[in-house]
Amino acid sequence: MQHLSLKMSNITKKFPGVLALDNADFELAKGEVHALLGINGAGKSTLIKVLAGINSIDSGQIWVDGVETVIDGTRRSKELGIATVYQAPEMIPSFSGYENVFLGVESSKRGLFPFINRKALRKKANEVLEEFPIDIDLDKPISDLAPIEREGVAILRALVLENISILILDEPTSILSHREAETLFEMIAAMKGRGVSIIYITHNLEEVFIVSDRFTVFRNGRNVGTYESDRSNYSHNDVAELMLGDKMTSIYPDKSETIGDPLFSIRELSHGTDFQNVSIKFHEREIVGVFGLVGSGIDELCKTMFGDLRPDAGQITVKGKDVALKSCADAINEGIFLVPGDRHAEGYISDESVAFNVTLSKLPGISKFGFVNRKTEKNATLKLIDKLKIAPGDPYGNISKLSGGNQQKAVMAKGFYTESDIYIFQEPTVGVDVGAKALIYRAIRDLSETCATMVISSDCEEVYGIADRIVVIFEGKVVLNAKTSEVSLDDALVHGLAGGHDNV
Amino acid sequence: MSEVNKSLVAFLTFLAAILLMFTLQSEYFLTVSNFLQAFKHLSITAIAALGLCFVVAVGKADMSFHFFSCFAAMAMSYFISIGYGPVFSVLASLLLIASLGLLNGILVGRFGLPDMVTTIGTGTAVFGLAYLFSGGRYIYRNFIDSGIMQLNDGKLFGTIPIPVVVMVALYFLSWLLLHKSKYGRNFYAVGNKPLAARFSGIKVARYLAIAFVISALFASIANMVQVSAQGKGEIRAGVTLLMPAWAAVFVGISIFKKPTVYGTFIGAFMISIMQNGFTLLSVPFYYMDFVVALSLIGSIILANFDVITTWINKKRRG
């Protein structure tokens, strides 16, 4: 670590009521990939925003390439060669890949005639692209590109900046499937070869060891340590401990030892080309984990089991009774509840209170003669806030102001309030920090004592960690259905990636 | 002070300024008889706006209610002209218009057609149909003798004008429905995030349909009052409801950050009082349109104030 690309020292940033960065230090060596970890609210986002020139600091010093500097705006940040690729990169869907790559450049030009040399930019983009492990057709509109290709375009946009020296990737894999994530890792290696230093923000501990040279953990606005990313020295639990600050055993609760009565089953369920002949049985005290990649049909399977899609063939049976679900409302009436995967679009109603959201699926529970009783509403909500440790615990607080993990818990609380018999959790911990994750898994386990529960996710480790029985879906078909104790994680993953053929 | 309180104070200051200006300019403005008159006028805008408020609450736009109201008023006048009583004529016309509102609701809710264009289409078509009752001519027959004019002239307990009574009743019921009942929650949930609403077990299409029916019904009631004040069935009477109703709903949103029954009333009140004041000052009607339209645009800007401030800041930062 001879040459430092970036050094930040004693950085403090206060927001009303919150000390976001508290005398924080951070160092980035030239040409390294440096993972930045921390639970929500640890200060990582603020640190990134300081570098991007969005937040100004209250005190502290910053050196870029050994020169002390003040980043007083996004323009200054760009001049210093710092670029950020955000979680959901801003792009114009109808514009071609090239046009989107150039967007950043065009907007940074000033003057009456901000001409840019498109030909030179095109050449440069192609040059960079050649080093990438995937071939993106930059003449296609963005809307036609796969998530990984869009990520690639966003990265290209950062790289065509003339003097790029520091690239910040903010949870880049959150919208990617596993295979796509691997492509991204190769891209990162290619960028490293160009001498770009990379700050890599993630929630996924495994990625840290795959992609980074060093990692830094933030907690309560401070740097609690920077370490070499050496798998032999640190386990996931070690890192999680650093993030949380206290002793933490495995984030997954114990497995169930006994299995109760059958509650729910799907038989030979099919929906178009999405999935075919899927049969799964669900019991009390058994969490069924369904793993499949994005696009394997698991999303459609969830939606069919919840009445949002109609199956072409097959039978859904609730407590021994065959049901035909015509809508989500039907499913809820039959005692089925889906905690959807995309909580921002499908989960919660924004700018309404936590209580509004929690009670939404069972309004009769809080009303008399059709009128809402505020007291009943408040008490019911408080009970669930307490049970799921939703913070802050104000039932009339605005749900949009909660952190991702607490929003997810509020959506789960909405499901719990319906007192259903069958719960489907789709991607239950996307964008949720480790602390909230453990709590969510615990709540699912508790629920499984009396209900049939299913966790459906494209995160194999999560499915394997939480479930008693694992079902793997590959290209719309069940390729593995076994007790978790009887298969290995690797085995499950291989089935999900390639249907069980070991040519991965 | 919360966002809502700030907007409310800003709005009340603005309203006080308007009231003061009119009081200074016209000695007739601050009299009981003028206020009764103003409230009668208010009720027409306010009732139409209230219906629209439901559609905006479910996140859609209705560009047809004013045209629908023309159809309803002509249907009512037609029934009266062929000898039916006022009660039957009003109810039968409302039934007709409710089914047309349902058509809007089904097209937008069930078939997912784009709301703006669809309702402009259905509205224009229904306005065309309204000509069938009289070929576009005024309908005078039986009108004055039928008793329908009581809808405007009548007074409860000899003092409160019937239009005001109807307005208060509809506002009270709507307030119960939208803000106190469990159904109100569903309207807002649907308007906020239809997908999340569906996954919460709410029948989204049903709430969209109900909102469009209410919008058509309330605008028609407003226009029936208006037409009965004029003493004849006139086809274009309802056309002018469009802009003030939208303005009223958006003034409400600019204060309370979402479409509400009370916000809509405050919005309608502001617009109506401006129209009344300008009339007393004998300002030509086209200036009135100008001012009301400006207040609509102003309130839309206010309603999106957060968006605008961030945009300005972004510009400044470069």
Side-chain angles (χ1 to χ4, degrees):
Chain A
M1 304 297 146
Q2 328 74 19
H3 188 55
L4 287 182
S5 185
L6 170 75
K7 181 174 159 69
M8 300 171 87
S9 141
N10 292 318
I11 307 287
T12 297
K13 171 72 186 172
K14 279 194 193 88
F15 289 112
V18 191
L19 190 56
L21 289 174
D22 179 10
N23 276 311
D25 300 320
F26 183 70
E27 285 181 1
L28 179 68
K30 192 112 195 134
E32 78 166 333
V33 179
H34 197 128
L36 191 54
L37 291 159
I39 60 172
N40 290 340
K44 339 177 273 258
S45 323
T46 313
L47 190 84
I48 295 321
K49 284 182 186 155
V50 165
L51 288 174
I54 295 167
N55 286 342
S56 57
I57 51 175
D58 297 330
S59 65
Q61 289 162 291
I62 300 173
W63 291 266
V64 175
D65 273 326
V67 183
E68 184 167 357
T69 181
V70 178
I71 306 177
D72 55 2
T74 50
R75 207 171 153 71
R76 179 78 191 124
S77 169
K78 235 177 224 172
E79 282 164 11
L80 291 166
I82 301 172
T84 311
V85 177
Y86 291 101
Q87 245 180 72
E90 279 175 41
M91 276 188 278
I92 303 175
S94 60
F95 275 25
S96 76
Y98 279 117
E99 284 167 321
N100 273 289
V101 168
F102 301 151
L103 269 183
V105 186
E106 278 165 350
S107 64
S108 66
K109 288 264 174 176
R110 281 285 162 104
L112 193 55
F113 299 106
F115 290 123
I116 54 160
N117 189 342
R118 283 180 173 247
K119 218 170 158 186
L121 283 173
R122 220 171 226 270
K123 199 169 150 237
K124 184 154 186 195
N126 285 333
E127 232 175 70
V128 181
L129 188 60
E130 252 167 47
E131 293 170 29
F132 278 2
I134 51 166
D135 189 26
I136 308 169
D137 185 352
L138 290 176
D139 285 316
K140 267 195 196 167
I142 287 291
S143 49
D144 287 357
L145 297 181
I148 180 67
E149 294 176 317
R150 290 181 201 190
E151 192 81 31
V153 171
I155 290 172
L156 276 179
R157 184 159 71 186
L159 289 184
V160 293
L161 282 178
E162 278 155 40
N163 57 342
I164 172 86
S165 66
I166 299 170
L167 179 68
I168 302 163
L169 297 173
D170 189 4
E171 289 196 45
T173 51
S174 59
I175 51 167
L176 303 181
S177 68
H178 280 270
R179 190 177 289 180
E180 289 181 324
E182 274 161 31
T183 311
L184 177 79
F185 300 151
E186 287 172 44
M187 268 191 225
I188 289 173
M191 285 185 271
K192 221 174 122 178
R194 297 178 69 87
V196 178
S197 318
I198 295 165
I199 301 176
Y200 186 96
I201 300 170
T202 182
H203 274 307
N204 185 324
L205 305 181
E206 185 53 33
E207 284 174 10
V208 172
F209 295 112
I210 296 174
V211 81
S212 72
D213 302 309
R214 292 195 298 166
F215 67 91
T216 292
V217 179
F218 263 70
R219 190 169 76 224
N220 299 329
R222 286 185 189 186
N223 180 339
V224 293
T226 296
Y227 308 89
E228 301 285 326
S229 306
D230 184 348
R231 206 186 288 269
S232 53
N233 289 341
Y234 309 99
S235 70
H236 286 186
N237 281 353
D238 292 336
V239 182
E241 238 171 68
L242 280 169
M243 290 165 70
L244 290 168
D246 48 29
K247 198 84 187 151
M248 194 189 85
T249 51
S250 164
I251 58 169
Y252 299 109
D254 293 339
K255 305 271 176 191
S256 170
E257 278 163 15
T258 57
I259 285 172
D261 301 330
L263 281 178
F264 179 51
S265 77
I266 53 176
R267 273 198 319 273
E268 303 284 313
L269 213 57
S270 301
H271 185 268
T273 53
D274 298 320
F275 59 86
Q276 298 86 34
N277 300 324
V278 174
S279 303
I280 308 173
K281 283 198 177 80
F282 298 85
H283 300 81
E284 252 178 26
R285 291 200 296 286
E286 183 190 48
I287 299 176
V288 175
V290 176
F291 163 61
L293 297 178
V294 173
S296 62
I298 56 169
D299 185 49
E300 291 79 4
L301 178 63
C302 281
K303 294 199 166 143
T304 308
M305 289 165 73
F306 193 50
D308 196 43
L309 296 175
R310 310 268 188 92
D312 302 330
Q315 186 58 53
I316 299 175
T317 309
V318 177
K319 289 182 171 172
K321 185 181 84 173
D322 288 352
V323 293
L325 306 173
K326 292 193 189 70
S327 65
C328 302
D330 275 358
I332 292 176
N333 285 336
E334 295 291 350
I336 305 171
F337 196 89
L338 168 74
V339 176
D342 183 353
R343 78 173 157 269
H344 299 295
E346 305 166 342
Y348 66 94
I349 306 293
S350 47
D351 287 318
E352 294 288 357
S353 69
V354 175
F356 180 106
N357 276 280
V358 167
T359 57
L360 191 60
S361 290
K362 203 179 90 178
L363 286 168
I366 55 160
S367 35
K368 231 179 194 167
F369 311 116
F371 291 106
V372 171
N373 182 328
R374 293 269 286 189
K375 209 171 156 192
T376 323
E377 178 191 28
K378 191 177 166 187
N379 289 339
T381 310
L382 277 173
K383 226 185 250 171
L384 285 158
I385 284 176
D386 188 51
K387 184 172 178 184
L388 286 162
K389 302 197 174 51
I390 298 171
D394 174 12
Y396 293 110
N398 182 346
I399 194 162
S400 301
K401 302 233 162 94
L402 300 186
S403 70
N406 284 299
Q407 282 173 349
Q408 181 68 4
K409 286 192 261 175
V411 176
M412 285 172 66
K414 174 171 72 178
F416 287 10
Y417 190 58
T418 62
E419 295 175 327
S420 299
D421 302 311
I422 297 132
Y423 285 91
I424 305 164
F425 297 91
Q426 188 184 7
E427 311 277 357
T429 61
V430 170
V432 164
D433 64 66
V434 181
K437 253 185 192 178
L439 213 145
I440 287 171
Y441 293 140
R442 182 74 251 165
I444 293 175
R445 173 57 74 193
D446 290 346
L447 196 66
S448 74
E449 286 300 314
T450 51
C451 304
T453 45
M454 161 170 160
V455 174
I456 190 159
S457 170
S458 55
D459 178 349
C460 190
E461 201 209 310
E462 166 172 275
V463 169
Y464 190 81
I466 181 84
D468 303 309
R469 170 170 291 277
I470 187 162
V471 175
V472 180
I473 296 196
F474 176 74
E475 291 181 350
K477 292 184 184 61
V478 174
V479 290
L480 180 73
N481 182 346
K483 278 185 152 179
T484 316
S485 54
E486 289 163 2
V487 287
S488 70
L489 175 58
D490 293 348
D491 205 20
L493 190 60
V494 166
H495 276 84
L497 295 177
H501 317 294
D502 44 10
N503 53 358
V504 188
Chain B
M1 200 156 53
S2 78
E3 279 296 301
V4 169
N5 286 341
K6 259 189 246 170
S7 331
L8 194 58
V9 167
F11 171 80
L12 289 175
T13 316
F14 178 60
L15 192 62
I18 295 177
L19 290 176
L20 187 68
M21 186 189 88
F22 287 140
T23 313
L24 292 177
Q25 293 289 320
S26 162
E27 51 194 31
Y28 183 63
F29 181 73
L30 211 60
T31 58
V32 174
S33 65
N34 182 47
F35 263 77
L36 278 181
Q37 186 59 39
F39 261 81
K40 247 167 94 174
H41 182 256
L42 161 69
S43 60
I44 292 166
T45 305
I47 293 169
L50 182 61
L52 179 64
C53 175
F54 279 88
V55 176
V56 178
V58 293
K60 296 289 174 190
D62 186 351
M63 304 299 287
S64 68
F65 62 90
H66 58 309
F67 283 145
F68 279 24
S69 80
C70 296
F71 180 91
M74 287 312 275
M76 178 190 81
S77 308
Y78 174 76
F79 285 131
I80 284 170
S81 74
I82 59 172
Y84 287 104
V87 175
F88 174 85
S89 304
V90 167
L91 292 181
S93 314
L94 287 180
L95 196 67
L96 275 175
I97 214 68
S99 52
L100 290 170
L102 187 64
L103 176 73
N104 266 344
I106 291 171
L107 290 176
V108 175
R110 181 77 185 79
F111 296 111
L113 300 188
D115 48 352
M116 283 268 185
V117 179
T118 305
T119 52
I120 288 174
T122 54
T124 310
V126 168
F127 187 60
L129 284 179
Y131 277 86
L132 293 179
F133 292 111
S134 66
R137 284 183 292 277
Y138 295 154
I139 301 178
Y140 289 106
R141 189 193 295 190
N142 292 342
F143 204 93
I144 294 180
D145 306 327
S146 68
I148 186 68
M149 290 175 75
Q150 284 302 309
L151 191 56
N152 178 64
D153 299 340
K155 290 193 165 77
L156 187 68
F157 310 127
T159 44
I160 313 167
I162 293 294
V164 176
V165 175
V166 173
M167 172 181 75
V168 171
L170 290 178
Y171 266 80
F172 179 67
L173 290 175
S174 301
W175 176 73
L176 283 181
L177 179 61
L178 216 45
H179 300 301
K180 291 288 145 188
S181 83
K182 60 178 184 182
Y183 309 104
R185 302 278 175 107
N186 295 342
F187 281 101
Y188 284 114
V190 167
N192 187 311
K193 276 186 197 162
L195 212 53
R198 193 167 88 212
F199 283 119
S200 299
I202 298 167
K203 299 198 162 152
V204 174
R206 184 176 296 178
Y207 279 88
L208 292 177
I210 293 170
F212 277 104
V213 169
I214 290 176
S215 176
L217 277 178
F218 284 16
S220 298
I221 292 171
N223 195 29
M224 285 171 175
V225 172
Q226 201 165 233
V227 164
S228 60
Q230 291 175 355
K232 57 181 187 277
E234 194 212 332
I235 191 154
R236 300 195 63 85
V239 172
T240 52
L241 288 175
L242 180 71
M243 212 260 304
W246 273 102
V249 172
F250 266 85
V251 168
I253 295 176
S254 70
I255 301 171
F256 296 103
K257 308 295 169 214
K258 64 181 194 181
T260 54
V261 169
Y262 34 90
T264 303
F265 182 80
I266 292 177
F269 182 78
M270 187 187 95
I271 283 152
S272 204
I273 211 77
M274 284 201 295
Q275 289 178 330
N276 174 268
F278 283 123
T279 312
L280 289 182
L281 298 181
S282 311
V283 175
F285 68 92
Y286 40 85
Y287 280 115
M288 229 145 71
D289 281 353
F290 182 71
V291 171
V292 175
L294 274 189
S295 67
L296 167 63
I297 293 167
S299 59
I300 292 171
I301 292 174
L302 268 179
N304 294 302
F305 200 66
D306 297 343
V307 181
I308 290 161
T309 40
T310 26
W311 186 76
I312 291 169
N313 287 341
K314 223 183 253 171
K315 270 268 178 197
R316 208 182 294 143
R317 271 203 310 265

